[in-house]
């Protein structure tokens, strides 16, 4: 179950919030995804989570915005989440390519350049980050 949340040891509270959000956006409805986004935003603000959980929650919001093609908002939340987790040695994830593309779709070349550079530096502890070399 831990792998599902991309955190080493997510709290029970965090797991419950993510599962509630998942049940809200369910299938593919834009309206449901917007509800899930608002739900997550309120929970992340109102409740006490560890920094890694907050970062993961903001990144999750970024993916939801990305799915409904609101790239500017997605870029904002990806940046917010990765900035919070900047010092976390997280493993490579193939979805990072989507994150970088989202920055470009949002016309945020500055964020694309910054995070691509950051992700590539992470190849010092996880060689898989080198897969982003041509992204």
């Amino acid at each position: 179950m831990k792998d599902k949340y991309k955190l080493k040891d997510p709290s029970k509270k965090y797991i419950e919030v993510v599962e509630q959000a998942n049940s809200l956006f369910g299938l593919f409805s834009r309206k449901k995804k917007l509800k899930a986004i608002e739900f997550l935003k309120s929970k992340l603000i109102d409740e006490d989570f560890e920094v890694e959980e907050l970062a993961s929650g903001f990144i999750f919001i970024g993916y939801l915005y990305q799915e409904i093609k609101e790239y500017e908002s997605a870029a904002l939340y990806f940046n917010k989440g990765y900035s919070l987790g900047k010092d976390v040695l997280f493993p490579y994830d193939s979805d990072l390519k989507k994150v970088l593309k989202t920055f470009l779709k949002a016309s945020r070349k500055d964020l694309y350049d910054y995070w691509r550079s950051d992700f590539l530096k992470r190849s010092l502890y996880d060689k898989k980050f080198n897969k982003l070399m041509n992204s």
Side-chain angles (χ1 to χ4, degrees), residues 72-105:
E72 293 82 10
S73 295
L76 173 82
Y77 277 89
F78 284 143
N79 184 53
K80 192 172 189 172
Y82 285 112
S83 293
L84 273 177
K86 184 146 176 62
D87 297 326
V88 176
L89 300 179
F90 57 85
Y92 172 78
D93 182 341
S94 61
D95 284 340
L96 291 174
K97 289 180 181 183
K98 291 180 186 177
V99 171
L100 292 174
K101 286 180 183 177
T102 297
F103 290 139
L104 293 177
K105 288 179 180 179

Side-chain angles (χ1 to χ4, degrees), residues 4-121:
K4 180 178 176 184
Y5 301 98
K6 298 183 181 174
L7 294 172
K8 289 180 184 172
D9 194 22
S11 67
K12 184 177 178 184
K13 178 173 55 173
Y14 180 76
I15 291 170
E16 288 172 0
V17 167
V18 170
E19 286 179 354
Q20 280 182 286
N22 277 324
S23 69
L24 283 173
F25 82 86
L27 299 174
F28 299 101
S29 160
R30 176 183 172 84
K31 185 177 177 180
K32 286 185 179 182
K33 286 180 181 159
L34 288 170
K35 280 185 181 180
I37 289 167
E38 292 310 312
F39 172 79
L40 281 169
K41 285 180 183 179
S42 70
K43 290 294 183 180
L44 292 175
I45 291 169
D46 294 343
E47 302 204 18
D48 189 28
F49 289 106
E50 297 295 324
V51 171
E52 286 184 33
E53 293 171 330
L54 282 173
S56 180
F58 290 139
I59 292 166
F60 184 39
I61 290 171
Y63 282 116
L64 290 173
Y65 273 125
Q66 182 187 58
E67 288 179 22
I68 59 174
K69 299 183 181 358
E70 289 192 18
Y71 299 116
E72 293 82 10
S73 295
L76 173 82
Y77 277 89
F78 284 143
N79 184 53
K80 192 172 189 172
Y82 285 112
S83 293
L84 273 177
K86 184 146 176 62
D87 297 326
V88 176
L89 300 179
F90 57 85
Y92 172 78
D93 182 341
S94 61
D95 284 340
L96 291 174
K97 289 180 181 183
K98 291 180 186 177
V99 171
L100 292 174
K101 286 180 183 177
T102 297
F103 290 139
L104 293 177
K105 288 179 180 179
S107 300
R108 293 299 309 263
K109 179 100 168 66
D110 59 324
L111 292 177
Y112 170 86
D113 291 339
Y114 179 83
W115 287 111
R116 182 176 178 274
S117 174
D118 180 88
F119 296 156
L120 288 172
K121 287 176 189 170

